[in-house]
Amino acid sequence: MAQHTVTLIPGDGIGNETTSAMQRVLAAAGADINWEIAEAGAHLMEIEGTPLPESTIEAVKRNKVAIKGPVTTPVGTGFRSVNVALRQSLDLYVCLRPVISIPGAGGRYDDVDLVIVRENTEDLYAGIEFEEGSKAAAHLIDMVQKTGAGSIRPDSGISIKPISVTGTQNIVRYAFDYAVKHGRKKVTAVHKANIMKHSDGLFLREARKVAEEYADKGIEFDDKIVDAFCMNCVIDPSQFDVIVFPNLYGDIASDLCAGLVGGLGIAPGANIGKDYAIFEAVHGSAPDIAGKNLANPTAEVLSACMMLDYLGEMETAERIRDAVRAVYAEGKYLTGDIRRATGSQEPGCTCTEFTDALVAALQK
Ligand code: NAI
């Protein structure tokens, strides 16, 4: 295969373990990748004064393709999310997360095959916020009162939920284009348009318009209110195919859907824009197991397979996926998260042992 230069952002927490494992697997599969390492994460705060140095954003821009490990975001206080900043600064407007059963991985179903397409730059998740007691919050509260839109308690913190026509059309078109390209049958838009008429209502209205553009492509379109989606998806995921979400619901549904197939340890993802793409697992930095060699690297490895597809190296990606399926089917080396998902009492193997098994499967 051709050589590709890729920016690797190991992140923090379990990031070093999962990205090192991923590098080993790609090397064993013969993927010719020139890794350019760039840093991001909580550990940089003291040295650089920021968890996301400008040089890291520049490295992604230079190589156009990156893969990252997770980055810790403190709850409540501290810096804003590195992930949100990367997605916004590089306009990675698509968050693509295939959810596929791997036999032997402890999923609730054997045949889940759905694709989450999450808008990645807008919505409550964009982090446009006003602190309780601030001048700006007071100004906003006053403005809301004066417009007659409602009233907000003076001791409120406020997060803004912008959903635009442009952002919605872009993400829904991506979902339909993806469905056409991959022979998918249906696109479902998920929303809460009954309550949030000017944000989710707009999302649904624009999704319906875009669906009409694709009427001759033979792809069914429907929509679901987010709470009903959650229940229906847990009861019978086979009724869904490609699912398009505004940012926050897509974030939550990603974990829910990962739970259907065995958990976060096997859920891959990608953040894609017109110019750049960053591949990363759905899971976070898992501080409870970080540094213990217990992390499951499958999600990072499968994210790398998505990257290889994106780079046009589908054959290598498919060989790695075959090896992953073989290791799970054999069931000899499974990490603790998967042992628990399968209900087994056996202890899990280490991240290294799992990676060894994957490398051995590739060399068979
Ligand atoms: P988490 O995904 O890190 O962990 C949730 C649970 O899943 C934990 O019990 C963890 O041990 C387990 N888990 C996650 N990945 C695993 C893996 N590969 N192998 C085995 N077990 C795994 O979610 P949590 O605890 O809510 O977040 C921790 C930190 O990660 C937070 O600071 C959060 O903001 C950040 N985060 C970062 C993301 C990213 O960089 N893309 C995505 C999600 C969260």
PDB file of all heavy atoms in Angstrom, residues 322-336:
ATOM      1  N   ASP A 322     -11.293  -8.656  10.044  1.00  0.00           N
ATOM      2  CA  ASP A 322     -11.388 -10.125  10.084  1.00  0.00           C
ATOM      3  C   ASP A 322     -10.635 -10.665  11.298  1.00  0.00           C
ATOM      4  O   ASP A 322     -11.109 -11.578  11.982  1.00  0.00           O
ATOM      5  CB  ASP A 322     -10.770 -10.737   8.810  1.00  0.00           C
ATOM      6  CG  ASP A 322     -11.695 -10.607   7.613  1.00  0.00           C
ATOM      7  OD1 ASP A 322     -12.892 -10.323   7.817  1.00  0.00           O
ATOM      8  OD2 ASP A 322     -11.211 -10.761   6.471  1.00  0.00           O
ATOM      9  N   ALA A 323      -9.451 -10.091  11.542  1.00  0.00           N
ATOM     10  CA  ALA A 323      -8.635 -10.551  12.683  1.00  0.00           C
ATOM     11  C   ALA A 323      -9.351 -10.254  14.003  1.00  0.00           C
ATOM     12  O   ALA A 323      -9.358 -11.080  14.917  1.00  0.00           O
ATOM     13  CB  ALA A 323      -7.266  -9.876  12.646  1.00  0.00           C
ATOM     14  N   VAL A 324      -9.970  -9.074  14.090  1.00  0.00           N
ATOM     15  CA  VAL A 324     -10.729  -8.718  15.307  1.00  0.00           C
ATOM     16  C   VAL A 324     -11.841  -9.748  15.523  1.00  0.00           C
ATOM     17  O   VAL A 324     -11.996 -10.310  16.619  1.00  0.00           O
ATOM     18  CB  VAL A 324     -11.324  -7.291  15.194  1.00  0.00           C
ATOM     19  CG1 VAL A 324     -12.348  -7.031  16.298  1.00  0.00           C
ATOM     20  CG2 VAL A 324     -10.212  -6.237  15.221  1.00  0.00           C
ATOM     21  N   ARG A 325     -12.602 -10.024  14.450  1.00  0.00           N
ATOM     22  CA  ARG A 325     -13.709 -10.990  14.581  1.00  0.00           C
ATOM     23  C   ARG A 325     -13.182 -12.366  15.006  1.00  0.00           C
ATOM     24  O   ARG A 325     -13.787 -13.050  15.824  1.00  0.00           O
ATOM     25  CB  ARG A 325     -14.485 -11.087  13.256  1.00  0.00           C
ATOM     26  CG  ARG A 325     -15.387  -9.882  13.014  1.00  0.00           C
ATOM     27  CD  ARG A 325     -16.300 -10.104  11.809  1.00  0.00           C
ATOM     28  NE  ARG A 325     -15.597  -9.896  10.543  1.00  0.00           N
ATOM     29  CZ  ARG A 325     -15.599  -8.752   9.858  1.00  0.00           C
ATOM     30  NH1 ARG A 325     -16.274  -7.706  10.303  1.00  0.00           N
ATOM     31  NH2 ARG A 325     -14.937  -8.638   8.724  1.00  0.00           N
ATOM     32  N   ALA A 326     -12.015 -12.743  14.466  1.00  0.00           N
ATOM     33  CA  ALA A 326     -11.444 -14.064  14.792  1.00  0.00           C
ATOM     34  C   ALA A 326     -11.074 -14.144  16.275  1.00  0.00           C
ATOM     35  O   ALA A 326     -11.342 -15.158  16.932  1.00  0.00           O
ATOM     36  CB  ALA A 326     -10.229 -14.337  13.912  1.00  0.00           C
ATOM     37  N   VAL A 327     -10.475 -13.079  16.799  1.00  0.00           N
ATOM     38  CA  VAL A 327     -10.058 -13.090  18.216  1.00  0.00           C
ATOM     39  C   VAL A 327     -11.291 -13.189  19.122  1.00  0.00           C
ATOM     40  O   VAL A 327     -11.312 -13.941  20.099  1.00  0.00           O
ATOM     41  CB  VAL A 327      -9.217 -11.839  18.550  1.00  0.00           C
ATOM     42  CG1 VAL A 327      -8.991 -11.709  20.058  1.00  0.00           C
ATOM     43  CG2 VAL A 327      -7.879 -11.882  17.813  1.00  0.00           C
ATOM     44  N   TYR A 328     -12.357 -12.437  18.783  1.00  0.00           N
ATOM     45  CA  TYR A 328     -13.584 -12.488  19.606  1.00  0.00           C
ATOM     46  C   TYR A 328     -14.262 -13.854  19.470  1.00  0.00           C
ATOM     47  O   TYR A 328     -14.786 -14.392  20.449  1.00  0.00           O
ATOM     48  CB  TYR A 328     -14.533 -11.344  19.247  1.00  0.00           C
ATOM     49  CG  TYR A 328     -14.135 -10.055  19.929  1.00  0.00           C
ATOM     50  CD1 TYR A 328     -13.307  -9.129  19.299  1.00  0.00           C
ATOM     51  CD2 TYR A 328     -14.548  -9.786  21.227  1.00  0.00           C
ATOM     52  CE1 TYR A 328     -12.917  -7.961  19.932  1.00  0.00           C
ATOM     53  CE2 TYR A 328     -14.159  -8.621  21.883  1.00  0.00           C
ATOM     54  CZ  TYR A 328     -13.345  -7.716  21.227  1.00  0.00           C
ATOM     55  OH  TYR A 328     -12.957  -6.575  21.875  1.00  0.00           O
ATOM     56  N   ALA A 329     -14.258 -14.385  18.253  1.00  0.00           N
ATOM     57  CA  ALA A 329     -14.923 -15.677  18.044  1.00  0.00           C
ATOM     58  C   ALA A 329     -14.203 -16.765  18.843  1.00  0.00           C
ATOM     59  O   ALA A 329     -14.837 -17.639  19.438  1.00  0.00           O
ATOM     60  CB  ALA A 329     -14.938 -16.029  16.558  1.00  0.00           C
ATOM     61  N   GLU A 330     -12.867 -16.689  18.883  1.00  0.00           N
ATOM     62  CA  GLU A 330     -12.105 -17.691  19.639  1.00  0.00           C
ATOM     63  C   GLU A 330     -12.359 -17.539  21.144  1.00  0.00           C
ATOM     64  O   GLU A 330     -12.494 -18.517  21.872  1.00  0.00           O
ATOM     65  CB  GLU A 330     -10.614 -17.554  19.335  1.00  0.00           C
ATOM     66  CG  GLU A 330      -9.820 -18.713  19.907  1.00  0.00           C
ATOM     67  CD  GLU A 330      -8.312 -18.526  19.781  1.00  0.00           C
ATOM     68  OE1 GLU A 330      -7.851 -17.377  19.652  1.00  0.00           O
ATOM     69  OE2 GLU A 330      -7.597 -19.531  19.842  1.00  0.00           O
ATOM     70  N   GLY A 331     -12.437 -16.281  21.605  1.00  0.00           N
ATOM     71  CA  GLY A 331     -12.820 -16.018  22.995  1.00  0.00           C
ATOM     72  C   GLY A 331     -11.757 -16.322  24.032  1.00  0.00           C
ATOM     73  O   GLY A 331     -12.033 -16.338  25.235  1.00  0.00           O
ATOM     74  N   LYS A 332     -10.515 -16.589  23.592  1.00  0.00           N
ATOM     75  CA  LYS A 332      -9.457 -16.954  24.555  1.00  0.00           C
ATOM     76  C   LYS A 332      -8.886 -15.695  25.204  1.00  0.00           C
ATOM     77  O   LYS A 332      -8.624 -15.663  26.408  1.00  0.00           O
ATOM     78  CB  LYS A 332      -8.369 -17.725  23.801  1.00  0.00           C
ATOM     79  CG  LYS A 332      -7.400 -18.423  24.696  1.00  0.00           C
ATOM     80  CD  LYS A 332      -6.537 -19.386  23.878  1.00  0.00           C
ATOM     81  CE  LYS A 332      -5.352 -19.845  24.706  1.00  0.00           C
ATOM     82  NZ  LYS A 332      -4.274 -20.361  23.876  1.00  0.00           N
ATOM     83  N   TYR A 333      -8.678 -14.671  24.411  1.00  0.00           N
ATOM     84  CA  TYR A 333      -8.119 -13.420  24.935  1.00  0.00           C
ATOM     85  C   TYR A 333      -9.174 -12.318  24.813  1.00  0.00           C
ATOM     86  O   TYR A 333      -9.403 -11.796  23.724  1.00  0.00           O
ATOM     87  CB  TYR A 333      -6.849 -13.035  24.163  1.00  0.00           C
ATOM     88  CG  TYR A 333      -5.725 -14.008  24.398  1.00  0.00           C
ATOM     89  CD1 TYR A 333      -5.441 -14.999  23.456  1.00  0.00           C
ATOM     90  CD2 TYR A 333      -4.986 -13.957  25.575  1.00  0.00           C
ATOM     91  CE1 TYR A 333      -4.417 -15.916  23.687  1.00  0.00           C
ATOM     92  CE2 TYR A 333      -3.969 -14.878  25.816  1.00  0.00           C
ATOM     93  CZ  TYR A 333      -3.698 -15.847  24.865  1.00  0.00           C
ATOM     94  OH  TYR A 333      -2.694 -16.753  25.104  1.00  0.00           O
ATOM     95  N   LEU A 334      -9.818 -12.030  25.919  1.00  0.00           N
ATOM     96  CA  LEU A 334     -10.824 -10.960  25.942  1.00  0.00           C
ATOM     97  C   LEU A 334     -10.543 -10.074  27.157  1.00  0.00           C
ATOM     98  O   LEU A 334     -10.266 -10.590  28.253  1.00  0.00           O
ATOM     99  CB  LEU A 334     -12.240 -11.546  26.056  1.00  0.00           C
ATOM    100  CG  LEU A 334     -12.718 -12.435  24.898  1.00  0.00           C
ATOM    101  CD1 LEU A 334     -14.083 -13.038  25.218  1.00  0.00           C
ATOM    102  CD2 LEU A 334     -12.793 -11.643  23.588  1.00  0.00           C
ATOM    103  N   THR A 335     -10.631  -8.766  26.972  1.00  0.00           N
ATOM    104  CA  THR A 335     -10.371  -7.841  28.086  1.00  0.00           C
ATOM    105  C   THR A 335     -11.543  -7.877  29.082  1.00  0.00           C
ATOM    106  O   THR A 335     -12.630  -8.378  28.767  1.00  0.00           O
ATOM    107  CB  THR A 335     -10.146  -6.420  27.549  1.00  0.00           C
ATOM    108  OG1 THR A 335     -11.159  -6.132  26.586  1.00  0.00           O
ATOM    109  CG2 THR A 335      -8.771  -6.283  26.903  1.00  0.00           C
ATOM    110  N   GLY A 336     -11.320  -7.316  30.262  1.00  0.00           N
ATOM    111  CA  GLY A 336     -12.288  -7.414  31.362  1.00  0.00           C
ATOM    112  C   GLY A 336     -13.660  -6.855  31.026  1.00  0.00           C
ATOM    113  O   GLY A 336     -14.686  -7.411  31.441  1.00  0.00           O
TER     114      GLY A 336
END
